[in-house]
Short mmCIF file of all heavy atoms in Angstrom, two decimals:
data_model
loop_
_atom_site.label_atom_id
_atom_site.label_comp_id
_atom_site.label_asym_id
_atom_site.label_seq_id
_atom_site.Cartn_x
_atom_site.Cartn_y
_atom_site.Cartn_z
N SER A 1 18.13 -82.97 -47.81
CA SER A 1 17.16 -81.95 -47.50
C SER A 1 16.36 -82.24 -46.28
O SER A 1 15.55 -81.45 -45.82
CB SER A 1 16.26 -81.70 -48.69
OG SER A 1 15.47 -82.86 -48.93
N GLY A 2 16.53 -83.41 -45.68
CA GLY A 2 15.82 -83.79 -44.50
C GLY A 2 14.50 -84.50 -44.73
O GLY A 2 13.80 -84.84 -43.79
N GLN A 3 14.13 -84.72 -45.97
CA GLN A 3 12.86 -85.41 -46.28
C GLN A 3 12.94 -86.88 -45.96
O GLN A 3 11.92 -87.51 -45.77
CB GLN A 3 12.52 -85.22 -47.75
CG GLN A 3 12.30 -83.77 -48.15
CD GLN A 3 11.95 -83.63 -49.61
OE1 GLN A 3 11.28 -84.46 -50.17
NE2 GLN A 3 12.41 -82.53 -50.24
N SER A 4 14.14 -87.46 -45.93
CA SER A 4 14.30 -88.82 -45.56
C SER A 4 15.22 -88.87 -44.32
O SER A 4 16.26 -88.16 -44.30
CB SER A 4 14.96 -89.66 -46.68
OG SER A 4 14.08 -89.69 -47.78
N ALA A 5 14.89 -89.67 -43.35
CA ALA A 5 15.59 -89.65 -42.07
C ALA A 5 16.90 -90.44 -42.06
O ALA A 5 17.81 -90.17 -41.31
CB ALA A 5 14.68 -90.16 -40.95
N GLY A 6 16.98 -91.46 -42.83
CA GLY A 6 18.19 -92.32 -42.81
C GLY A 6 18.62 -92.70 -44.18
O GLY A 6 18.09 -92.28 -45.21
N THR A 7 19.67 -93.57 -44.21
CA THR A 7 20.22 -94.04 -45.47
C THR A 7 19.45 -95.17 -46.09
O THR A 7 19.79 -95.63 -47.17
CB THR A 7 21.69 -94.50 -45.28
OG1 THR A 7 21.72 -95.52 -44.28
CG2 THR A 7 22.55 -93.35 -44.82
N GLY A 8 18.41 -95.64 -45.41
CA GLY A 8 17.61 -96.74 -45.99
C GLY A 8 17.00 -96.36 -47.30
O GLY A 8 16.88 -97.18 -48.23
N ALA A 9 16.58 -95.06 -47.44
CA ALA A 9 15.99 -94.62 -48.71
C ALA A 9 17.00 -94.63 -49.86
O ALA A 9 16.60 -94.69 -51.03
CB ALA A 9 15.39 -93.22 -48.52
N LEU A 10 18.29 -94.59 -49.53
CA LEU A 10 19.32 -94.60 -50.57
C LEU A 10 19.76 -96.02 -50.92
O LEU A 10 20.32 -96.24 -51.99
CB LEU A 10 20.55 -93.77 -50.13
CG LEU A 10 20.44 -92.26 -50.27
CD1 LEU A 10 21.73 -91.61 -49.71
CD2 LEU A 10 20.27 -91.87 -51.71
N ARG A 11 19.61 -96.93 -49.97
CA ARG A 11 20.20 -98.25 -50.13
C ARG A 11 19.63 -98.98 -51.35
O ARG A 11 20.36 -99.54 -52.16
CB ARG A 11 19.97 -99.05 -48.88
CG ARG A 11 20.82 -100.34 -48.84
CD ARG A 11 20.83 -100.93 -47.44
NE ARG A 11 21.27 -99.92 -46.46
CZ ARG A 11 20.79 -99.88 -45.24
NH1 ARG A 11 19.94 -100.74 -44.81
NH2 ARG A 11 21.25 -98.94 -44.39
N THR A 12 18.30 -98.95 -51.49
CA THR A 12 17.66 -99.70 -52.62
C THR A 12 18.05 -99.12 -53.95
O THR A 12 18.51 -99.86 -54.84
CB THR A 12 16.13 -99.68 -52.44
OG1 THR A 12 15.80 -100.37 -51.22
CG2 THR A 12 15.48 -100.39 -53.61
N PRO A 13 17.94 -97.79 -54.20
CA PRO A 13 18.37 -97.27 -55.53
C PRO A 13 19.85 -97.47 -55.74
O PRO A 13 20.31 -97.68 -56.88
CB PRO A 13 18.02 -95.77 -55.47
CG PRO A 13 17.76 -95.47 -54.05
CD PRO A 13 17.26 -96.71 -53.40
N ALA A 14 20.68 -97.41 -54.68
CA ALA A 14 22.10 -97.63 -54.86
C ALA A 14 22.40 -99.05 -55.29
O ALA A 14 23.22 -99.29 -56.19
CB ALA A 14 22.87 -97.34 -53.54
N LEU A 15 21.69 -100.01 -54.67
CA LEU A 15 21.89 -101.41 -55.09
C LEU A 15 21.46 -101.63 -56.52
O LEU A 15 22.08 -102.40 -57.27
CB LEU A 15 21.12 -102.32 -54.15
CG LEU A 15 21.68 -102.49 -52.72
CD1 LEU A 15 20.76 -103.30 -51.85
CD2 LEU A 15 23.09 -103.07 -52.76
N ARG A 16 20.37 -100.94 -56.92
CA ARG A 16 19.95 -101.08 -58.32
C ARG A 16 20.99 -100.57 -59.29
O ARG A 16 21.24 -101.16 -60.32
CB ARG A 16 18.64 -100.33 -58.51
CG ARG A 16 17.42 -100.97 -57.82
CD ARG A 16 16.19 -100.09 -57.92
NE ARG A 16 15.01 -100.70 -57.27
CZ ARG A 16 13.89 -100.06 -57.02
NH1 ARG A 16 13.75 -98.81 -57.42
NH2 ARG A 16 12.89 -100.68 -56.44
N VAL A 17 21.58 -99.40 -58.93
CA VAL A 17 22.61 -98.87 -59.83
C VAL A 17 23.81 -99.79 -59.87
O VAL A 17 24.40 -100.05 -60.94
CB VAL A 17 23.00 -97.44 -59.36
CG1 VAL A 17 24.14 -96.91 -60.22
CG2 VAL A 17 21.83 -96.49 -59.42
N LEU A 18 24.19 -100.31 -58.71
CA LEU A 18 25.35 -101.23 -58.65
C LEU A 18 25.06 -102.48 -59.49
O LEU A 18 25.94 -102.96 -60.21
CB LEU A 18 25.63 -101.58 -57.21
CG LEU A 18 26.27 -100.50 -56.35
CD1 LEU A 18 26.39 -100.96 -54.90
CD2 LEU A 18 27.68 -100.13 -56.87
N ASN A 19 23.85 -102.99 -59.39
CA ASN A 19 23.50 -104.16 -60.19
C ASN A 19 23.56 -103.83 -61.67
O ASN A 19 24.01 -104.66 -62.51
CB ASN A 19 22.14 -104.68 -59.79
CG ASN A 19 22.10 -105.32 -58.42
OD1 ASN A 19 23.14 -105.81 -57.95
ND2 ASN A 19 20.96 -105.34 -57.76
N ALA A 20 23.08 -102.63 -62.03
CA ALA A 20 23.12 -102.26 -63.44
C ALA A 20 24.55 -102.11 -63.96
O ALA A 20 24.87 -102.50 -65.07
CB ALA A 20 22.35 -100.93 -63.63
N ILE A 21 25.42 -101.54 -63.10
CA ILE A 21 26.83 -101.40 -63.47
C ILE A 21 27.45 -102.78 -63.64
O ILE A 21 28.15 -103.04 -64.66
CB ILE A 21 27.60 -100.61 -62.40
CG1 ILE A 21 27.10 -99.16 -62.41
CG2 ILE A 21 29.07 -100.64 -62.67
CD1 ILE A 21 27.70 -98.33 -61.26
N ASP A 22 27.18 -103.68 -62.70
CA ASP A 22 27.77 -105.04 -62.80
C ASP A 22 27.26 -105.78 -64.04
O ASP A 22 27.99 -106.50 -64.70
CB ASP A 22 27.41 -105.83 -61.56
CG ASP A 22 28.12 -105.32 -60.32
OD1 ASP A 22 29.14 -104.58 -60.46
OD2 ASP A 22 27.66 -105.62 -59.17
N THR A 23 25.95 -105.57 -64.36
CA THR A 23 25.41 -106.21 -65.54
C THR A 23 26.10 -105.71 -66.83
O THR A 23 26.46 -106.50 -67.71
CB THR A 23 23.90 -105.90 -65.65
OG1 THR A 23 23.24 -106.45 -64.50
CG2 THR A 23 23.28 -106.56 -66.89
N SER A 24 26.30 -104.38 -66.92
CA SER A 24 26.99 -103.80 -68.07
C SER A 24 28.42 -104.31 -68.14
O SER A 24 28.90 -104.64 -69.24
CB SER A 24 26.95 -102.28 -67.98
OG SER A 24 25.67 -101.76 -68.06
N TYR A 25 29.08 -104.39 -66.97
CA TYR A 25 30.46 -104.87 -66.96
C TYR A 25 30.54 -106.32 -67.45
O TYR A 25 31.39 -106.66 -68.26
CB TYR A 25 31.01 -104.77 -65.53
CG TYR A 25 32.27 -105.55 -65.31
CD1 TYR A 25 33.49 -105.10 -65.84
CD2 TYR A 25 32.26 -106.75 -64.63
CE1 TYR A 25 34.63 -105.84 -65.71
CE2 TYR A 25 33.44 -107.50 -64.46
CZ TYR A 25 34.61 -107.03 -64.99
OH TYR A 25 35.75 -107.77 -64.83
N LEU A 26 29.62 -107.18 -66.97
CA LEU A 26 29.64 -108.57 -67.41
C LEU A 26 29.37 -108.72 -68.91
O LEU A 26 29.98 -109.54 -69.57
CB LEU A 26 28.59 -109.37 -66.62
CG LEU A 26 28.91 -109.56 -65.10
CD1 LEU A 26 27.76 -110.22 -64.39
CD2 LEU A 26 30.21 -110.30 -64.92
N LYS A 27 28.45 -107.88 -69.41
CA LYS A 27 28.20 -107.95 -70.86
C LYS A 27 29.46 -107.60 -71.66
O LYS A 27 29.73 -108.25 -72.67
CB LYS A 27 27.05 -106.98 -71.23
CG LYS A 27 25.66 -107.45 -70.76
CD LYS A 27 24.59 -106.49 -71.18
CE LYS A 27 23.20 -107.01 -70.78
NZ LYS A 27 22.12 -106.06 -71.19
N ARG A 28 30.13 -106.55 -71.20
CA ARG A 28 31.34 -106.20 -71.99
C ARG A 28 32.47 -107.17 -71.79
O ARG A 28 33.27 -107.35 -72.67
CB ARG A 28 31.75 -104.74 -71.54
CG ARG A 28 30.94 -103.73 -72.31
CD ARG A 28 30.69 -102.43 -71.56
NE ARG A 28 29.81 -101.60 -72.39
CZ ARG A 28 28.50 -101.74 -72.45
NH1 ARG A 28 27.93 -102.69 -71.72
NH2 ARG A 28 27.76 -100.96 -73.20
N ARG A 29 32.52 -107.82 -70.62
CA ARG A 29 33.53 -108.84 -70.48
C ARG A 29 33.22 -110.01 -71.40
O ARG A 29 34.13 -110.59 -72.03
CB ARG A 29 33.52 -109.34 -69.00
CG ARG A 29 34.67 -110.30 -68.71
CD ARG A 29 34.60 -110.81 -67.30
NE ARG A 29 33.43 -111.66 -67.11
CZ ARG A 29 33.17 -112.24 -65.95
NH1 ARG A 29 33.96 -112.09 -64.91
NH2 ARG A 29 32.07 -113.00 -65.84
N ASP A 30 31.93 -110.40 -71.50
CA ASP A 30 31.57 -111.49 -72.43
C ASP A 30 31.88 -111.07 -73.89
O ASP A 30 32.29 -111.91 -74.70
CB ASP A 30 30.10 -111.81 -72.29
CG ASP A 30 29.77 -112.44 -70.93
OD1 ASP A 30 30.70 -112.97 -70.31
OD2 ASP A 30 28.59 -112.39 -70.54
N LYS A 31 31.66 -109.80 -74.18
CA LYS A 31 31.95 -109.31 -75.54
C LYS A 31 33.43 -109.41 -75.82
O LYS A 31 33.86 -109.79 -76.91
CB LYS A 31 31.46 -107.85 -75.70
CG LYS A 31 31.65 -107.31 -77.07
CD LYS A 31 31.12 -105.89 -77.16
CE LYS A 31 31.35 -105.31 -78.58
NZ LYS A 31 30.82 -103.93 -78.67
N LEU A 32 34.26 -109.10 -74.83
CA LEU A 32 35.69 -109.21 -75.00
C LEU A 32 36.10 -110.66 -75.26
O LEU A 32 36.96 -110.94 -76.10
CB LEU A 32 36.43 -108.74 -73.73
CG LEU A 32 36.59 -107.21 -73.59
CD1 LEU A 32 37.25 -106.91 -72.27
CD2 LEU A 32 37.40 -106.61 -74.74
N LYS A 33 35.43 -111.61 -74.55
CA LYS A 33 35.74 -113.00 -74.82
C LYS A 33 35.41 -113.41 -76.23
O LYS A 33 36.14 -114.17 -76.87
CB LYS A 33 34.94 -113.89 -73.84
CG LYS A 33 35.45 -113.79 -72.38
CD LYS A 33 34.68 -114.72 -71.48
CE LYS A 33 35.19 -114.61 -70.04
NZ LYS A 33 34.39 -115.53 -69.13
N VAL A 34 34.27 -112.90 -76.78
CA VAL A 34 33.90 -113.21 -78.15
C VAL A 34 34.93 -112.65 -79.12
O VAL A 34 35.35 -113.30 -80.08
CB VAL A 34 32.50 -112.63 -78.44
CG1 VAL A 34 32.19 -112.75 -79.94
CG2 VAL A 34 31.46 -113.36 -77.62
N VAL A 35 35.36 -111.41 -78.86
CA VAL A 35 36.38 -110.76 -79.70
C VAL A 35 37.69 -111.55 -79.66
O VAL A 35 38.35 -111.78 -80.68
CB VAL A 35 36.60 -109.30 -79.29
CG1 VAL A 35 37.75 -108.69 -80.09
CG2 VAL A 35 35.34 -108.48 -79.54
N LEU A 36 38.09 -111.98 -78.49
CA LEU A 36 39.31 -112.77 -78.31
C LEU A 36 39.19 -114.09 -79.04
O LEU A 36 40.15 -114.54 -79.64
CB LEU A 36 39.62 -112.96 -76.82
CG LEU A 36 40.09 -111.73 -76.08
CD1 LEU A 36 40.20 -112.06 -74.58
CD2 LEU A 36 41.44 -111.24 -76.61
N ALA A 37 38.01 -114.69 -78.96
CA ALA A 37 37.81 -115.98 -79.67
C ALA A 37 37.92 -115.76 -81.19
O ALA A 37 38.52 -116.59 -81.86
CB ALA A 37 36.45 -116.57 -79.29
N ARG A 38 37.36 -114.67 -81.66
CA ARG A 38 37.45 -114.37 -83.09
C ARG A 38 38.90 -114.12 -83.51
O ARG A 38 39.35 -114.58 -84.56
CB ARG A 38 36.59 -113.16 -83.42
CG ARG A 38 36.48 -112.92 -84.94
CD ARG A 38 35.38 -111.93 -85.27
NE ARG A 38 35.67 -110.60 -84.79
CZ ARG A 38 34.99 -110.00 -83.82
NH1 ARG A 38 33.97 -110.58 -83.27
NH2 ARG A 38 35.31 -108.76 -83.43
N ALA A 39 39.63 -113.40 -82.65
CA ALA A 39 41.03 -113.17 -82.94
C ALA A 39 41.82 -114.48 -82.92
O ALA A 39 42.73 -114.66 -83.74
CB ALA A 39 41.60 -112.18 -81.94
N ASP A 40 41.42 -115.39 -82.00
CA ASP A 40 42.11 -116.68 -81.93
C ASP A 40 41.89 -117.46 -83.21
O ASP A 40 42.82 -118.06 -83.74
CB ASP A 40 41.54 -117.44 -80.72
CG ASP A 40 42.20 -118.83 -80.61
OD1 ASP A 40 43.42 -118.93 -80.81
OD2 ASP A 40 41.43 -119.78 -80.33
N GLU A 41 40.65 -117.45 -83.73
CA GLU A 41 40.35 -118.16 -84.95
C GLU A 41 41.14 -117.56 -86.13
O GLU A 41 41.66 -118.28 -86.99
CB GLU A 41 38.85 -118.09 -85.22
CG GLU A 41 38.42 -118.91 -86.43
CD GLU A 41 38.66 -120.39 -86.26
OE1 GLU A 41 38.64 -120.85 -85.12
OE2 GLU A 41 38.89 -121.09 -87.27
N GLN A 42 41.22 -116.25 -86.14
CA GLN A 42 41.95 -115.58 -87.20
C GLN A 42 43.45 -115.94 -87.12
O GLN A 42 44.10 -116.14 -88.16
CB GLN A 42 41.77 -114.07 -87.09
CG GLN A 42 42.50 -113.30 -88.20
CD GLN A 42 42.20 -111.79 -88.07
OE1 GLN A 42 41.16 -111.39 -87.62
NE2 GLN A 42 43.19 -111.00 -88.44
N GLN A 43 43.97 -116.02 -85.89
CA GLN A 43 45.37 -116.38 -85.70
C GLN A 43 45.62 -117.80 -86.25
O GLN A 43 46.66 -118.10 -86.86
CB GLN A 43 45.76 -116.27 -84.23
CG GLN A 43 45.77 -114.85 -83.69
CD GLN A 43 46.91 -114.05 -84.26
OE1 GLN A 43 47.85 -114.60 -84.88
NE2 GLN A 43 46.85 -112.75 -84.14
N LYS A 44 44.66 -118.71 -85.96
CA LYS A 44 44.85 -120.11 -86.42
C LYS A 44 44.88 -120.12 -87.96
O LYS A 44 45.72 -120.81 -88.55
CB LYS A 44 43.70 -120.95 -85.91
CG LYS A 44 43.75 -121.23 -84.43
CD LYS A 44 42.57 -122.09 -84.00
CE LYS A 44 42.62 -122.36 -82.49
NZ LYS A 44 41.48 -123.17 -82.03
N ARG A 45 43.93 -119.42 -88.58
CA ARG A 45 43.93 -119.42 -90.06
C ARG A 45 45.21 -118.81 -90.59
O ARG A 45 45.79 -119.29 -91.59
CB ARG A 45 42.73 -118.61 -90.57
CG ARG A 45 41.41 -119.30 -90.36
CD ARG A 45 40.32 -118.68 -91.23
NE ARG A 45 40.17 -117.25 -90.96
CZ ARG A 45 39.33 -116.73 -90.09
NH1 ARG A 45 38.56 -117.53 -89.38
NH2 ARG A 45 39.26 -115.42 -89.91
N THR A 46 45.69 -117.74 -89.94
CA THR A 46 46.93 -117.10 -90.37
C THR A 46 48.12 -118.07 -90.30
O THR A 46 48.93 -118.16 -91.23
CB THR A 46 47.23 -115.86 -89.53
OG1 THR A 46 46.13 -114.93 -89.63
CG2 THR A 46 48.49 -115.19 -89.95
#
């Protein structure tokens, strides 16, 4: 709309969103590792 002259106003919120996405991704990756470890333990017992 012309209220901001450059992309500097977008850079900070964009980096925040990217960091939030990466944080969520890492949490779910760690969760997958936990699930795989549980499956591994179940396989050993089996």
Side-chain angles (χ1 to χ4, degrees):
S1 64
Q3 298 179 36
S4 296
T7 57
L10 279 178
R11 193 167 304 149
T12 298
L15 288 175
R16 289 174 180 169
V17 176
L18 288 174
N19 289 335
I21 293 173
D22 292 341
T23 300
S24 295
Y25 165 74
L26 292 175
K27 286 183 178 179
R28 276 150 185 81
R29 187 183 66 178
D30 293 339
K31 183 178 180 180
L32 280 177
K33 289 182 179 179
V34 172
V35 173
L36 289 173
R38 188 167 67 247
D40 179 43
E41 185 64 29
Q42 181 177 329
Q43 292 291 346
K44 289 180 180 178
R45 290 197 302 268
T46 301

